[in-house]
Amino acid sequence: MSKDIRVRKGLDLKLKGEAEKQLVEAPAPKVFAIKPPDFHAMVPKMILKEGAVVKAGEPIFYSKYDEKVKFVSPVSGTLTEIVRGAKRRIMEVRITPNGTSDALKHDVGSLNSLKGEEVKALLLESGCWPFIVQRPYSIMASSEDTPKSIFVSVYTTAPLSGDADFIVSQKMEAFQAGITALSKLTPGKVHVGVGKNSSINSLNDAVIHKVKGPHPAGNVGVQIHKLDPINMGERVWTVNAEDVATIGNFFLNGTFQAERTVALTGTDAEESKRKYYKTTIGAQVNSIIGTVDLDKTRIISGDVLTGDKLSNDQFINYFHNTLTLIPEGNDYALLGWLPFTRNNVPSNAGTSFAKLFGGKKKVDTNLNGEERALVVTGEMEEVMPMDVYPMQLIKACMAGDIEKMENLGIYEVAPEDFALIDFTNTSKLEAQEIIRNGLDLMITEVG
Amino acid sequence: MKWLRSKLDQARKPFEPGAKFEKYAPAINAFDTFLFTPNHVTKKGAHIRDVVDLKRTMITVVLALVPALLFGMWNTGAQYLYQEMGLASVLDVPFMDAFIEGAILTLPLIIVSYVVGLTIEFIFAIYRGHEVNEGYLVTGLLIPMIFPVDIPLWMLALSVAFAVLIGKEAFGGTGMNILNPALTARAFAFFAYPLYMSGNAVWVHQGDTDAVSGETILGSLASGQFDGTVDGAAANSVAFSGPAPAESSVLSGIDSMDMFMGYIPGSVAETSALMILIGAIILIATKVGSWRIILGGILGGLAMGAIFNFFGNMGSEFITGLVDSGKITMDQVYNDAAAVAELNLSGWDATLMELGTNQLINFPFWQHLLVGSILFGVVFMATDPVSAAQTFKGKWIYGILIGFFGIMIRIFNPAYPEGIMLAILLMNVFAPTIDHYVIQANVNKRKKRAKKAQVNLQTA
């Protein structure tokens, strides 16, 4: 029986620069890269060396602490460069495509007759496993675990974000196959959260939940919290909607098809180019947007609340299906602190008439003030729909008080759930970073 | 704007890292960021930020205080001139005369408060190497607003210094203090210089004469001098029908509209309920002040006032019974202690007698909100987010208890006929405890759920 979810707290930011719901083919990138830092807390061990020739779906590195998990090439070509950062940490594994569609084929048999263990083995071998994210900690799932349930959100509420429902509606057969495959990995249920007007009305092997409410209602963390909250020691897995379809495609065809639909959004993207692009995982951003002046424009892989800042020659995050271009706000505002001025900036606070004047706002990256001590209370709770005390949890994370963090529900949250707190809080605190550090501490101390 | 900006950039150079005056950077930063919101950009997600910052928040509170402050200036001048000139009503004082007189009296208080407070804040910012926090913008204005107008400036300066040094910086600065800094200043002055902070001589500017009586309504009620004319009629048939006090009170004939509008003596800006309510609306609409605390405080105050009214009525009925049965006359009830003692009342009867004669208990519960500083305290002091409870549920409990204790202390404290300052300071101390139990309830819920999940797992 489905249980619908209604979220009351939160905030829908109405921003200019949405992508038109039209799917077009993106120009083929000249270089692709898989970036190990996209998989938080994963340490890569290279299988191939620079210069190696790879097929699409062929493993290029594996996880040092979970050796069964392999990461595969999204295209066929040559492994041209391993880019390393501080302490020789691998930042990017770059692959130059050779233009062929030479792909590694697996024998998958019939999905319906596969058992859970067989599905798991195939996912690990095929390179599909890294799509599975575990809660708590919001990191790649361990191949040793069995989750109590699996959650997929097809409801997008993040501002200027690629609409998961639109993306999935283009590949329903694969999505269904992916859901069936995932359902074999858990003794519990696969929960799919959809919006009110979703194209998904029925699914086999999953429970559909209609979700209603402002952002972050579309966040899978909020849906987990409402339906099947995580307790200490429990594991819940989540998979992005399009990645479910990629998993499904693998079980339908036996090959890893690294298709990725990317919505180009934001006011600094040309209006005629703000569409959905069919490209490949690990695509270089300039294949879609060309070169931009980074002093004036910020390139964000992902949405404006949680995405990563990129430069022109970098690559879209493994999990993202949005590319956002917004103006850099590196300018001064004369007496910008005067209440009821600068109503062009979106605001949840009442010190601006932004809400009254309504309409979609053009946003930039200005911090709109300076960092200060935590003074104002109640503003975090307003945009946090979970039954946790966000300010207290943030303080516990800052203090590194593990017991307090556990008590206050650290297992139930991920940095993305605190994105709106980043946005709204007066003291310009980096809540997502603090929560990420808190989660990392839990990983090392509790495991 | 570009010209100003480039001048500022030039002026900043000696304060930049590595330069000669690097240590004093917080001072120039404070000045710079006052003129311009800086060009700081976000480093990562969230890449966009709300337009609100601490400066905006604090200036909003200052804005909310302005109506009460302007009215306070007028009222301070008007109260003084009305008695000096021997007019029939406060409203007969020419408006501008009153306002200018009031401004001359109150501006020195505001200037001293800001100069002393901000100097200490700047010194601490430079000493600690952090930015100057905007919290004092509000505190600096609140302090003169809650002091009697005739407080000597050096006492005000000492109170400010105490509040900022001991009340705030000793705890680590803005955001860390336990007590409301403005109330800390008032509490310091109240206990250090009681003669200047309470009694009937301090609330109206004395000028050159000593003849002015600046009794507040609460003061009159507490000393049993109120002549009973509220709203032109006796508000409580027994308690207020007693004989008129021997000394003539300046409060004769004040009606509740006067109290609401604030044409009454009191601290500089606490008298006008109307202006405070305008401030409350600004605070609530801008989400700067917690409506939960404000509403909680008002409801708590009303409830406690009503409880006392209930017992007061019981006392009044008891006295009426005594008078009707001829055991004592009404005059004796109020003025002849020996006659009362002769009745040889004991236990509950004695309590009823006391309840019936305490004018503050019999004061109509809703009028408690119009006199004294309860409304000002609840709207501008209790809502201080740093010293208040931080959770939503906690804010309700905190607000209600402030109203409750505020009225309770007002009625029972013989030393000082107002309780809101002590009630807020008391609840400041208890706010972390309230939050602790609210949060503990959430923690227990989570633990219980985890335990249940464990049992399910084992039985599965």
Side-chain angles (χ1 to χ4, degrees):
Chain A
M1 201 182 84
S2 87
K3 186 177 156 192
D4 291 346
I5 304 168
R6 188 176 167 83
V7 173
R8 288 179 200 281
K9 287 185 191 170
L11 176 65
D12 269 335
L13 286 170
K14 296 188 175 70
L15 306 182
K16 279 183 186 165
E18 277 183 346
E20 186 192 345
K21 282 191 180 148
Q22 190 189 350
L23 191 61
V24 293
E25 199 79 37
K30 290 193 182 99
V31 189
F32 292 85
I34 300 298
K35 300 182 287 181
D38 289 350
F39 310 94
H40 192 81
M42 190 276 297
V43 179
K45 276 298 243 189
M46 293 302 298
I47 298 171
L48 302 176
K49 289 185 176 161
E50 281 180 7
V53 176
V54 289
K55 289 177 179 177
E58 191 177 330
I60 45 179
F61 60 86
Y62 61 90
S63 164
K64 185 179 174 184
Y65 300 114
D66 195 354
E67 292 182 7
K68 287 184 205 158
V69 181
K70 297 191 174 69
F71 296 78
V72 300
S73 172
V75 289
S76 61
T78 311
L79 195 162
T80 42
E81 194 183 357
I82 299 169
V83 180
R84 291 178 186 269
K87 295 185 182 170
R88 292 190 49 76
R89 185 178 174 213
I90 300 173
M91 304 306 286
E92 290 172 2
V93 179
R94 296 192 177 197
I95 297 147
T96 308
N98 57 16
T100 64
S101 50
D102 200 4
L104 195 69
K105 182 125 178 111
H106 295 264
D107 181 16
V108 291
S110 158
L111 176 58
N112 286 332
S113 58
L114 287 175
K115 291 200 169 64
E117 280 308 307
E118 292 168 315
V119 170
K120 193 184 243 186
L122 281 165
L123 287 173
L124 288 164
E125 201 55 39
S126 66
C128 286
W129 188 266
F131 290 132
I132 303 172
V133 174
Q134 136 194 333
R135 294 281 184 118
Y137 308 143
S138 192
I139 52 173
M140 194 179 67
S142 161
S143 63
E144 304 297 322
D145 285 342
T146 304
K148 66 169 180 167
S149 51
I150 297 176
F151 280 77
V152 178
S153 174
V154 196
Y155 180 46
T156 307
T157 48
L160 296 185
S161 194
D163 183 6
D165 202 86
F166 172 71
I167 295 169
V168 166
S169 67
Q170 311 290 322
K171 26 179 116 177
M172 272 313 293
E173 190 194 355
F175 185 75
Q176 174 61 71
I179 291 287
T180 304
L182 290 176
S183 68
K184 292 174 187 277
L185 299 175
T186 172
K189 288 172 184 161
V190 177
H191 300 275
V192 180
V194 300
K196 206 172 112 193
N197 304 314
S198 171
S199 53
I200 301 172
N201 294 317
S202 63
L203 278 174
N204 297 328
D205 309 313
V207 191
I208 295 178
H209 305 275
K210 293 253 185 220
V211 187
K212 208 175 156 190
H215 186 60
N219 279 6
V220 79
V222 175
Q223 297 170 16
I224 296 171
H225 183 82
K226 298 276 177 190
L227 295 168
D228 193 9
I230 305 165
N231 301 300
M232 189 186 173
E234 292 177 343
R235 295 283 182 267
V236 168
W237 287 353
T238 74
V239 185
N240 286 344
E242 191 178 22
D243 299 341
V244 174
T246 306
I247 291 171
N249 254 328
F250 169 74
F251 284 100
L252 293 176
N253 306 311
T255 55
F256 179 79
Q257 295 175 10
E259 258 181 40
R260 174 67 82 222
T261 313
V262 175
L264 178 60
T265 66
T267 44
D268 266 13
E270 272 179 53
E271 200 173 344
S272 59
K273 284 190 174 174
R274 283 185 226 142
K275 290 175 181 156
Y276 286 74
Y277 291 87
K278 206 186 232 184
T279 183
T280 307
I281 287 173
Q284 201 166 17
V285 286
N286 58 21
S287 65
I288 296 176
I289 59 169
T291 304
V292 299
D293 180 355
L294 292 176
D295 275 341
K296 291 182 178 156
T297 299
R298 179 170 297 189
I299 308 170
I300 301 165
S301 171
D303 64 71
V304 287
L305 290 179
T306 60
D308 305 326
K309 183 179 170 182
L310 296 184
S311 60
N312 278 303
D313 58 350
Q314 287 186 306
F315 305 85
I316 301 172
N317 184 301
Y318 196 84
F319 296 96
H320 290 162
N321 52 21
T322 308
L323 199 54
T324 316
L325 303 184
I326 57 170
E328 280 288 1
N330 45 2
D331 41 14
Y332 291 90
L334 187 66
L335 303 180
W337 45 264
L338 271 179
F340 313 115
T341 59
R342 301 176 74 206
N343 301 312
N344 56 329
V345 184
S347 177
N348 184 46
T351 58
S352 139
F353 287 128
K355 267 190 190 165
L356 280 185
F357 291 146
K360 293 181 175 175
K361 306 286 180 200
K362 183 178 175 176
V363 286
D364 64 29
T365 62
N366 196 296
L367 200 58
N368 295 323
E370 296 167 278
E371 287 183 30
R372 286 289 182 265
L374 276 173
V375 170
V376 180
T377 57
E379 56 183 2
M380 294 185 181
E381 288 77 4
E382 254 188 38
V383 292
M384 167 53 84
M386 297 183 185
D387 185 21
V388 298
Y389 284 95
M391 196 176 199
Q392 285 71 19
L393 183 53
I394 285 171
K395 284 181 176 173
C397 288
M398 287 165 101
D401 186 335
I402 290 173
E403 197 186 339
K404 230 178 198 167
M405 283 153 72
E406 270 183 351
N407 285 341
L408 291 169
I410 189 77
Y411 297 121
E412 298 171 49
V413 300
E416 61 172 12
D417 301 322
F418 283 69
L420 272 176
I421 289 174
D422 261 0
F423 173 78
T424 52
N425 89 83
T426 306
S427 37
K428 311 292 172 187
L429 182 94
E430 300 287 349
Q432 292 189 85
E433 191 183 8
I434 294 166
I435 293 295
R436 183 70 266 173
N437 292 340
L439 289 169
D440 289 350
L441 180 70
M442 297 300 291
I443 295 171
T444 51
E445 296 290 325
V446 181
Chain B
M1 185 182 122
K2 268 188 184 158
W3 173 84
L4 186 62
R5 188 62 247 164
S6 67
K7 285 278 165 210
L8 256 175
D9 285 340
Q10 227 167 2
R12 284 184 61 103
K13 272 188 186 150
F15 298 92
E16 275 163 13
K20 200 176 168 190
F21 298 118
E22 182 191 352
K23 231 171 71 178
Y24 302 100
I28 189 88
N29 285 346
F31 183 62
D32 186 358
T33 56
F34 175 77
L35 278 172
F36 289 96
T37 298
N39 63 345
H40 300 169
V41 291
T42 54
K43 294 181 196 81
K44 48 183 149 188
H47 297 266
I48 59 170
R49 298 299 167 95
D50 198 308
V51 72
V52 71
D53 68 341
L54 201 58
K55 273 198 182 60
R56 223 170 222 262
T57 307
M58 292 300 170
I59 299 287
T60 307
V61 185
V62 171
L63 264 184
L65 283 167
V66 165
L69 178 68
L70 292 180
F71 181 88
M73 283 183 177
W74 172 83
N75 188 47
T76 306
Q79 289 293 337
Y80 168 57
L81 292 177
Y82 138 73
Q83 303 198 18
E84 271 286 297
M85 297 156 109
L87 299 170
S89 156
V90 180
L91 295 172
D92 293 340
V93 182
F95 178 80
M96 278 316 286
D97 287 4
F99 189 79
I100 290 168
E101 182 67 36
I104 292 169
L105 291 172
T106 47
L107 279 177
L109 301 179
I110 296 172
I111 291 166
V112 165
S113 164
Y114 271 127
V115 168
V116 174
L118 282 177
T119 306
I120 298 172
E121 288 272 345
F122 269 74
I123 292 170
F124 266 89
I126 290 166
Y127 172 69
R128 288 205 176 119
H130 63 52
E131 297 300 323
V132 179
N133 270 286
E134 290 80 3
Y136 195 76
L137 288 178
V138 173
T139 312
L141 190 56
L142 276 173
I143 291 175
M145 288 173 79
I146 54 172
F147 271 68
V149 63
D150 267 356
I151 185 94
L153 292 178
W154 66 270
M155 285 184 193
L156 181 74
L158 267 183
S159 308
V160 167
F162 179 86
V164 178
L165 283 170
I166 309 295
K168 197 157 82 172
E169 294 301 340
F171 290 97
T174 301
M176 314 284 191
N177 46 302
I178 293 170
L179 302 176
N180 182 320
L183 279 179
T184 309
R186 181 168 165 138
F188 173 82
F190 174 66
F191 290 112
Y193 315 110
L195 281 179
Y196 292 85
M197 293 297 291
S198 62
N200 63 359
V202 304
W203 303 108
V204 172
H205 174 55
Q206 299 293 303
D208 300 328
T209 60
D210 288 333
V212 178
S213 168
E215 184 76 292
T216 60
I217 295 175
L218 286 178
S220 310
L221 287 168
S223 57
Q225 288 176 15
F226 199 77
D227 73 350
T229 8
V230 173
D231 275 346
N236 184 302
S237 58
V238 173
F240 291 132
S241 60
E247 312 164 38
S248 166
S249 167
V250 293
L251 297 164
S252 300
I254 283 180
D255 66 17
S256 43
M257 199 36 136
D258 290 344
M259 298 183 201
F260 180 72
M261 297 303 289
Y263 317 133
I264 49 176
S267 295
V268 172
E270 68 170 30
T271 59
S272 172
L274 175 68
M275 296 301 154
I276 294 164
L277 286 179
I278 292 172
I281 290 167
I282 294 174
L283 287 185
I284 291 170
T286 53
K287 298 188 186 176
V288 171
S290 165
W291 63 269
R292 291 174 177 86
I293 293 177
I294 296 176
L295 191 61
I298 291 173
L299 291 177
L302 286 176
M304 187 46 95
I307 290 170
F308 277 119
N309 275 187
F310 173 72
F311 285 112
N313 277 333
M314 285 171 65
S316 306
E317 279 164 22
F318 175 72
I319 293 171
T320 316
L322 287 180
V323 174
D324 288 350
S325 61
K327 288 182 181 158
I328 195 168
T329 67
M330 191 61 87
D331 194 43
Q332 284 173 316
V333 171
Y334 288 97
N335 294 327
D336 191 349
V340 175
E342 231 172 71
L343 286 171
N344 203 14
L345 297 171
S346 61
W348 181 235
D349 286 348
T351 310
L352 285 177
M353 184 68 153
E354 277 174 34
L355 290 172
T357 51
N358 186 333
Q359 292 195 349
L360 272 164
I361 289 179
N362 289 291
F363 195 51
F365 69 98
W366 57 275
Q367 283 183 344
H368 270 295
L369 291 180
L370 303 180
V371 297
S373 48
I374 182 161
L375 214 50
F376 191 87
V378 161
V379 171
F380 292 114
M381 304 292 193
T383 50
D384 164 25
V386 177
S387 53
Q390 304 189 342
T391 55
F392 282 165
K393 276 182 204 159
K395 282 176 201 285
W396 273 117
I397 299 169
Y398 173 82
I400 289 172
L401 288 180
I402 281 178
F404 241 70
F405 288 132
I407 298 297
M408 189 191 277
I409 299 170
R410 171 183 284 189
I411 291 172
F412 279 150
N413 182 4
Y416 183 55
E418 178 54 306
I420 196 67
M421 171 186 85
L422 294 172
I424 294 175
L425 286 173
L426 178 71
M427 292 319 295
N428 279 172
V429 175
F430 279 106
T433 312
I434 298 173
D435 278 337
H436 170 79
Y437 283 107
V438 170
I439 291 164
Q440 203 54 40
N442 181 272
V443 170
N444 290 342
K445 201 162 98 183
R446 190 165 282 112
K447 279 184 175 163
K448 216 167 157 186
R449 191 185 73 202
K451 217 171 176 182
K452 203 173 154 195
Q454 205 65 33
V455 172
N456 286 347
L457 201 71
Q458 280 165 0
T459 52

